[in-house]
Amino acid sequence: EVQLVESGGDLVQPGGSLRLACAASGFTFSNYAMSWVRQAPGKGLQWVSTISGSGSTTYYADSVKGRFTISRDKSTNTLYLQMNSLRTEDTAFYFCARDRSRTTVVQGYWGQGTLVAVSS
Amino acid sequence: DIQMTQSPSTLSASVGDRVTITCRASQGINYWLAWYQQKPGKAPKLLIYKASILDTGVPSRFSGSGSETEFTLTISSLQPDDFATYYCQQYNTLWTFGQGTKVEIK
């Protein structure tokens, strides 16, 4: 069974940094691209970033480019999101997600989310 | 950037109703369109990908159609478990979600 468990969400001041983690299990981690998707409280879904299975290719939404870095560790089956220069508008639940399959690049499996609150 | 626009934003319906949600892309995306269902406090659930292919285990009352810039999600007979928010997502160029359509009880 595919399981994705996020952690690392917290209250942080504007301009601060935070690193989110997503522990993956139940599948061969390096075979699948992984993504972060966020949702501000009461708002819609926003794609944030995606990393290929090998980790060699990354993609970012314009709103986070240059501030956030996605990475993965195949030795621990963990996905990360390093968030720097945080802004109040980054406040959201952050979900990690796995591609549905190796050929279907939509988010087919999701974690339960972790809350990042950016406030002074 | 490709923008996705859903309509309506909110839909009031009764159990047994046929429900249709529309999603429009700002430019052609072939059939690279997915639909998700989200219930309050839960993660989204993939329903449909490649515009019309139901994900594993998704009831057949859900269907998707369309191509290029106009797409629809149809629920043929609304069930109590279907009251939720639905999002479309393009994956032709990176990924973009629509703003969501809340299906509420009439």
Side-chain angles (χ1 to χ4, degrees):
Chain A
E1 179 192 4
V2 173
Q3 289 199 348
L4 302 169
V5 180
E6 302 95 335
S7 61
D10 204 348
L11 173 63
V12 61
Q13 291 189 338
S17 297
L18 204 59
R19 188 176 81 159
L20 304 182
C22 172
S25 61
F27 62 99
T28 303
F29 185 60
S30 58
N31 282 355
Y32 296 90
M34 300 289 295
S35 300
W36 290 97
V37 175
R38 69 184 180 184
Q39 186 170 38
K43 302 298 183 182
L45 301 170
Q46 182 187 24
W47 170 75
V48 173
S49 183
T50 294
I51 186 168
S52 63
S54 66
S56 61
T57 306
T58 57
Y59 308 90
Y60 297 94
D62 286 345
S63 58
V64 306
K65 200 174 295 182
R67 300 188 298 124
F68 290 11
T69 303
I70 191 171
S71 62
R72 60 194 300 160
D73 183 343
K74 66 179 182 179
S75 68
T76 60
N77 289 353
T78 304
L79 174 73
Y80 297 102
L81 185 67
Q82 177 67 43
M83 304 185 294
N84 297 331
S85 303
L86 282 161
R87 306 167 180 168
T88 54
E89 56 264 36
D90 295 320
T91 293
F93 289 92
Y94 284 73
F95 296 96
C96 81
R98 195 205 87 173
D99 272 6
R100 181 191 179 277
S101 70
R102 297 178 75 174
T103 56
T104 304
V105 295
V106 294
Q107 290 79 49
Y109 299 87
W110 297 68
Q112 84 290 349
T114 189
L115 179 60
V116 173
V118 184
S119 175
S120 55
Chain B
D1 291 9
I2 300 175
Q3 310 301 319
M4 305 301 293
T5 304
Q6 290 181 232
S7 60
S9 295
T10 306
L11 189 160
S12 297
S14 303
V15 172
D17 284 354
R18 181 181 181 88
V19 165
T20 299
I21 299 169
T22 298
C23 178
R24 289 186 172 87
S26 60
Q27 63 189 74
I29 58 170
N30 204 339
Y31 40 69
W32 304 117
L33 191 283
W35 290 97
Y36 296 83
Q37 177 194 67
Q38 188 181 31
K39 296 180 179 179
K42 300 293 186 181
K45 173 188 174 183
L46 177 66
L47 296 176
I48 289 170
Y49 60 97
K50 212 172 180 180
S52 63
I53 302 175
L54 265 60
D55 196 17
T56 306
V58 174
S60 58
R61 63 180 180 272
F62 291 92
S63 64
S65 65
S67 65
E68 296 301 346
T69 61
E70 186 142 344
F71 301 85
T72 58
L73 171 69
T74 300
I75 309 172
S76 61
S77 177
L78 198 65
Q79 298 301 301
D81 191 50
D82 302 337
F83 291 97
T85 301
Y86 294 85
Y87 294 91
C88 63
Q89 179 201 44
Q90 69 81 21
Y91 55 106
N92 180 77
T93 306
L94 299 181
W95 296 264
T96 312
F97 289 94
Q99 82 278 15
T101 295
K102 183 178 181 179
V103 177
E104 61 181 25
I105 301 172
K106 190 173 185 179

